[in-house]
Amino acid sequence: MLEMVLTTGFMHLTVGNLVMWLIAFFFIYLAISKRYEPLLLVPIGFGILIVNLPLTHLMEEGEGLLWRFYHYGLEWEVIPPLIFLGLGAMTDFGPMIANPKTLILGAGAQFGVYVAFFGALILGFNVQEACSIGIIGGADGPTTIYTTVHLAPHLLGATAIAAYSYMSLVPIIQPPIMRLLTTEKERRIVMRQLRPVSKKEKILFPLVTVLVICLIVPKSAPLMAMFMLGNLFKECGVVKRLSDASANELMNIVTIFLGTSVGATMSAGRFLKWDVIYVFIMGIVAFAFSTAAGILLAKFMNIFSREKMNPLIGSAGVSAVPMAARVSQLMGSKADPKNFLLMHAMGPNVAGVIGTVVAAGVFIALAG
Amino acid sequence: MIDWGLAVKIFYSGLSAVFSSLAILIGAIYAFGKILKIIEKKDQDYA
């Protein structure tokens, strides 16, 4: 009888396991009750729960089921590019093509990435770890995961959770910064309606972008190429089945593997460390600086521009599509109910995704 | 020991890559927009 009891998981539970269960339940609660990124937090939370069950060996190298998901999905760099394929099939670059200046805002919002990068270095992380922490400021989950797997896989759980948590908290993090850095008058700036973008322009965009970006930063190719392929599926109009599959079925399937794989990296031994707290602190620093930089850059561009843009759209440069653009819209309509900024903010929003992928490509090229 | 030389290199290479690639993209968008307009105008003239 005693022998049988000893073979159960109960006898091997540690305090760390119990703490991780609580964290898992908290994520699942946030996802179900508060609807914070439920598509990811449910599988991540469940992954955390099961990887912290003693004797299951789910993450045992070469044997465990979750290890296989992690190894073939993330270490082999399969899942993040597939997520980007789906994102591309769901993204409309029309607002950005109609007003290309907004691409600069997407670049400016990468500033926070480098603030967090240096902050992490000062806190004692090495260069590879600092790159993985800094990229959280891009507010792009798959890019954060891709970079971390390349440079600091032991931080994967922390950086992924930080990125997705802060992405879901964009409506709470950004508004105070937006109010602080803009005047009431600036928030009321009404922007001219965007011109219609032709189908030909939309088809040419992914082709040109993949050439330009992948030639400048070849290491960004896995993410950028898939992103643009997905967008080409969407815009060309002749492969609806592929476009639908990328945006729906494939996206949903890889999200399951992504979530459980990330959760599976969060065993008590790996996650309950001071480093993880620092990752979360630097993550929010990165987010705040990226938001601020986007707004300040929009104000700076207004100095030289005849046609003023509402600086609230600058904060949307932090990717987090489309949440950040929605926050710009909300803040703009609060200042003036007739103000409609959503489509204008979608420009820097999708440009932010491209900017973050480029930043990640440089990190991997130089620190990898 | 932090390699500050590498860190600074990553910083300026990263920011310049982000800005230059997006600036080139802006140029490309304006350029192909113009070319498409010219082609469309020519098509209309022929029609």
Side-chain angles (χ1 to χ4, degrees):
Chain A
M1 179 71 182
L2 182 70
E3 221 169 273
M4 205 207 106
V5 171
L6 284 174
T7 60
T8 67
F10 289 109
M11 299 307 290
H12 300 267
L13 272 175
T14 62
V15 177
N17 291 142
L18 297 176
V19 173
M20 291 311 294
W21 286 8
L22 288 178
I23 292 173
F25 291 139
F26 179 61
F27 285 144
I28 293 170
Y29 163 78
L30 283 181
I32 297 171
S33 223
K34 304 283 177 191
R35 300 288 166 105
Y36 285 166
E37 297 282 347
L39 292 177
L40 279 151
L41 285 191
V42 169
I44 287 177
F46 202 79
I48 298 170
L49 185 68
I50 56 177
V51 84
N52 284 287
L53 293 171
L55 306 182
T56 53
H57 304 297
L58 287 169
M59 269 302 266
E60 186 141 321
E61 197 170 330
E63 274 185 31
L65 174 72
L66 294 182
W67 179 85
R68 288 194 177 110
F69 290 176
Y70 171 76
H71 180 66
Y72 297 113
L74 293 179
E75 283 190 331
W76 279 27
E77 299 174 12
V78 175
I79 291 177
L82 287 179
I83 294 266
F84 261 77
L85 181 76
L87 288 177
M90 290 194 280
T91 303
D92 178 10
F93 285 102
M96 197 184 76
I97 299 170
N99 187 9
K101 270 190 303 184
T102 55
L103 268 158
I104 295 291
L105 299 177
Q110 305 310 312
F111 186 69
V113 168
Y114 298 99
V115 172
F117 168 69
F118 281 111
L121 285 175
I122 291 164
L123 282 173
F125 289 97
N126 65 34
V127 170
Q128 287 76 15
E129 291 167 336
C131 291
S132 305
I133 295 167
I135 207 72
I136 297 170
D140 190 334
T143 310
T144 302
I145 290 167
Y146 185 78
T147 310
T148 309
V149 167
H150 259 280
L151 301 176
H154 55 286
L155 288 181
L156 180 64
T159 55
I161 291 288
Y164 282 113
S165 309
Y166 293 141
M167 278 163 69
S168 65
L169 293 174
V170 156
I172 296 164
I173 297 169
Q174 287 197 320
I177 302 166
M178 294 161 90
R179 270 193 295 272
L180 185 73
L181 296 175
T182 54
T183 62
E184 184 71 22
K185 194 181 162 196
E186 286 171 330
R187 291 198 286 273
R188 283 188 180 163
I189 293 174
V190 175
M191 294 176 71
R192 195 160 50 100
Q193 204 182 349
L194 293 168
R195 71 171 174 87
V197 174
S198 70
K199 191 181 172 187
K200 280 177 191 157
E201 283 177 287
K202 285 187 174 180
I203 292 173
L204 272 176
F205 179 78
L207 298 170
V208 171
T209 303
V210 80
L211 289 176
V212 170
I213 304 289
C214 295
L215 283 173
I216 295 176
V217 188
K219 288 279 182 189
S220 68
L223 297 181
M224 190 51 67
M226 289 294 108
F227 192 32
M228 291 303 137
L229 176 63
N231 192 248
L232 186 62
F233 284 164
K234 175 181 183 285
E235 300 299 351
C236 71
V238 293
V239 286
K240 193 173 177 307
R241 277 169 49 192
L242 299 187
S243 173
D244 289 346
S246 307
N248 300 302
E249 293 87 352
L250 185 61
M251 185 74 156
N252 291 340
I253 291 166
V254 289
T255 300
I256 296 169
F257 291 113
L258 179 77
T260 44
S261 304
V262 168
T265 63
M266 293 169 67
S267 59
R270 269 183 144 187
F271 196 74
L272 297 176
K273 288 179 176 173
W274 281 110
D275 282 3
V276 172
I277 293 169
Y278 292 145
V279 169
F280 275 79
I281 293 171
M282 291 323 299
I284 199 158
V285 167
F287 249 69
F289 273 92
S290 290
T291 302
I295 294 167
L296 294 175
L297 187 61
K299 289 172 75 148
F300 180 71
M301 286 166 72
N302 275 347
I303 297 171
F304 305 99
S305 175
R306 261 182 297 150
E307 200 174 321
K308 306 290 178 208
M309 68 172 95
N310 191 315
L312 290 176
I313 69 167
S315 63
V318 298
S319 316
V321 184
M323 193 89 83
R326 281 195 201 136
V327 173
S328 301
Q329 159 66 22
L330 193 73
M331 294 288 291
S333 62
K334 264 188 191 168
D336 178 356
K338 282 178 274 175
N339 211 351
F340 196 76
L341 294 177
L342 185 65
M343 292 318 280
H344 296 284
M346 283 308 291
N349 210 189
V350 292
V353 180
I354 299 175
T356 307
V357 172
V358 172
V362 174
F363 277 155
I364 292 167
L366 295 180
Chain B
M1 190 67 187
I2 299 165
D3 186 349
W4 285 105
L6 177 61
V8 172
K9 189 178 165 194
I10 287 173
F11 170 66
Y12 70 72
S13 308
L15 265 191
S16 48
V18 169
F19 274 96
S20 60
S21 55
L22 293 185
I24 292 169
L25 257 188
I26 292 174
I29 291 169
Y30 278 120
F32 71 66
K34 279 226 162 119
I35 292 166
L36 285 175
K37 255 187 196 170
I38 293 167
I39 294 170
E40 274 168 24
K41 207 180 164 198
K42 275 195 174 170
D43 284 350
Q44 280 173 356
D45 289 347
Y46 278 121

